[in-house]
Amino acid sequence: MDRYLCCVTLCLLGLGFMQSKAFEVTIQEESKKTCIYANVQVNFTIEYETNKSTQNRVIFPAPDTVTTDGSTCGESGEAPLLRVNFGNNHTWSLNFTRNDTVYSGDVLIFTYNTNDTTLFPDAKRKGLLTSTTSFFDPIPLNATYKCFHDEIVVAQNVTQVYWNVTLQAYAQNATLSREVHCNADNPTSPPLTTLAPTTKPLDKPAVGNYSVSNGTETCLLASMGLQLNASLLAEGKNIWTLININPNTTLSSGSCSNESALLRLNDSSTIVEFYFSIKKSNFYLQEMNVTLTNGSGISQITNRNLSFWEASLGNSYLCRKEQLITVSEDLNINTFDVRVQPFSVKNATYATAEDCFADQNFTVPIVVGAALGVLVILVMVAYFIGRRNQRSAGYEHF
Ligand SMILES: *[C@@H]1O[C@H](CO)[C@@H](O)[C@H](O)[C@H]1NC(C)=O
Ligand SMILES: *[C@@H]1O[C@H](CO)[C@@H](O)[C@H](O)[C@H]1NC(C)=O
Ligand SMILES: *[C@@H]1O[C@H](CO)[C@@H](O)[C@H](O)[C@H]1NC(C)=O
Ligand SMILES: *[C@@H]1O[C@H](CO)[C@@H](O)[C@H](O)[C@H]1NC(C)=O
Ligand SMILES: *[C@@H]1O[C@H](CO)[C@@H](O)[C@H](O)[C@H]1NC(C)=O
Ligand SMILES: *[C@@H]1O[C@H](CO)[C@@H](O)[C@H](O)[C@H]1NC(C)=O
Ligand SMILES: *[C@@H]1O[C@H](CO)[C@@H](O)[C@H](O)[C@H]1NC(C)=O
Ligand SMILES: *[C@@H]1O[C@H](CO)[C@@H](O)[C@H](O)[C@H]1NC(C)=O
Ligand SMILES: *[C@@H]1O[C@H](CO)[C@@H](O)[C@H](O)[C@H]1NC(C)=O
Ligand SMILES: *[C@@H]1O[C@H](CO)[C@@H](O)[C@H](O)[C@H]1NC(C)=O
Ligand SMILES: *[C@@H]1O[C@H](CO)[C@@H](O)[C@H](O)[C@H]1NC(C)=O
Ligand SMILES: *[C@@H]1O[C@H](CO)[C@@H](O)[C@H](O)[C@H]1NC(C)=O
């Protein structure tokens, strides 16, 4: 029953399209006394295996419309239970525990139905799956639990992000006016950033030389260092992980036509594909398709709308500085010392290089500086030659 609470920027978990939905429920005894009240906003992120044995991920909010069948105030000694049912047979349930002075959430069970073809169109395992965890620490018996900030609860392939939560149990029909806030809402306590996903430092990747041949002739040339920066699920947490492509263990392949070119780099289980296209008289990197394999989990990440590494047809593209290609919200690629020529390769050698913008910006002052230096030298040479001529002219006079 691991429980992780932390303040994380929303984008870390790819919740950019979080919708503002909340369920508000009240559980009453037969005598119509309210015992449980909840107003909760939560987004679920579920990782599941597809029928093609790849990993997929679905993100959805708990909707506004829910039922509370199965909930109980906990008569006859059993624990009060808040059971919230929604959608196609999904259930969120939380029971509560108390002693004489405090109460807390006890066991939080989220059950999702992978037969729901809207959310899980391609799930391999069909049926009801559960994720069990805990929710909220003890608070005084006569108080309301409040948390405006994000609370992240991770267990068994499910990440639940809660915010703007109001919870009351053991209410005995009284509106509990005393509010106890979660740590994240408390401005005096620092946010629990230690639990935020971290990235381990890694050496700069080695630069590899790759080529693609079109039958007998080399039709594409590339050299670069590649470092993938992927948000991978490990032990129930998404962690930014760096993966360097090792040229020694990487095979290159691909294809060339006069309108598009593909470079595929295969480093054991990691496959990085670059698709080059032509617009007007320039080529550029238009698409990337990255396959990451970890154990039995495979994820494929594609971006068809890139615009990198542009240069004129007939030339090659060169960029010595580090560049960042954002393939998806879960995958960044750091590139180093890139040189590519996906078209019009002659005699397996690179044509004239077109330097990337930043390098050009950098070379302009150098060129101007060098030109000024040459000018100064020319002026000095002219001055000394002029003086010598003057002197020799003088000697002739005397
Ligand atoms: C519970 O409280 C509400 C308002 O606070 C009141 O209208 C209602 O009569 C109470 N019910 C019982 C059974 O005391
Ligand atoms: C809450 O529910 C869980 C699972 O059903 C159960 O193991 C636990 O004993 C319950 N807690 C209380 C206080 O009854
Ligand atoms: C109730 O539980 C809290 C923490 O779980 C503990 O600190 C407190 O001493 C307990 N009170 C009683 C009366 O058992
Ligand atoms: C809530 O309980 C605390 C002690 O647990 C007490 O000091 C306080 O007066 C109570 N407040 C209300 C509104 O009952
Ligand atoms: C938070 O919830 C309250 C109701 O409990 C609602 O009035 C308010 O608009 C919500 N705030 C946000 C930012 O969703
Ligand atoms: C990896 O990506 C994450 C999220 O964008 C970022 O915070 C981190 O600095 C990146 N690491 C490297 C080494 O680029
Ligand atoms: C694969 O996942 C494990 C944990 O599940 C992690 O420790 C390891 O770094 C991952 N490997 C890669 C290449 O991401
Ligand atoms: C690749 O192989 C060369 C020579 O065998 C070695 O010097 C180099 O360190 C290797 N690079 C990596 C990244 O393993
Ligand atoms: C590509 O080659 C085909 C035949 O080889 C030709 O019909 C077509 O016009 C060429 N396209 C371009 C953009 O050169
Ligand atoms: C991405 O690459 C994988 C493996 O090479 C392939 O199965 C998949 O069809 C490719 N996807 C796209 C959109 O190109
Ligand atoms: C592709 O990117 C351009 C700008 O980079 C953007 O205007 C366009 O909407 C994007 N198209 C898609 C399908 O994402
Ligand atoms: C092709 O390159 C080789 C060496 O890489 C060179 O010897 C040869 O002259 C070149 N041929 C042409 C036609 O440039």
Side-chain angles (χ1 to χ4, degrees), residues 82-100:
L82 173 59
R83 195 182 145 108
V84 173
N85 314 290
F86 60 89
N88 193 341
N89 213 0
H90 310 294
T91 307
W92 179 96
S93 81
L94 175 66
N95 61 4
F96 299 88
T97 183
R98 62 168 281 187
N99 66 15
D100 287 347

Side-chain angles (χ1 to χ4, degrees), residues 12 197-199 229-231 238-242 329-332:
L12 278 179
T198 50
T199 311
N229 181 5
S231 174
N238 277 80
I239 294 175
W240 286 97
T241 311
L242 295 177
E329 58 201 4
D330 297 323
L331 177 66
N332 295 322

Side-chain angles (χ1 to χ4, degrees), residues 4-20:
Y4 306 97
L5 296 183
C6 48
C7 293
V8 180
T9 46
L10 298 184
C11 60
L12 278 179
L13 283 155
L15 299 173
F17 42 92
M18 198 131 65
Q19 288 150 281
S20 248

Side-chain angles (χ1 to χ4, degrees), residues 335-375:
T335 66
F336 301 83
D337 292 308
V338 172
R339 187 160 188 190
V340 288
Q341 188 174 346
F343 297 100
S344 6
V345 174
K346 304 243 158 50
N347 198 20
T349 45
Y350 284 111
T352 315
E354 277 179 36
D355 226 319
C356 59
F357 187 62
D359 287 9
Q360 265 172 7
N361 265 3
F362 196 64
T363 53
V364 165
I366 291 175
V367 168
V368 170
L372 281 174
V374 167
L375 201 68

Side-chain angles (χ1 to χ4, degrees), residues 209-213 218-222 251-254 263-265:
N209 293 311
Y210 309 106
S211 64
V212 176
S213 125
T218 301
C219 59
L220 182 153
L221 287 170
L251 296 172
S252 66
S253 60
L263 170 65
R264 180 185 297 113
L265 300 180

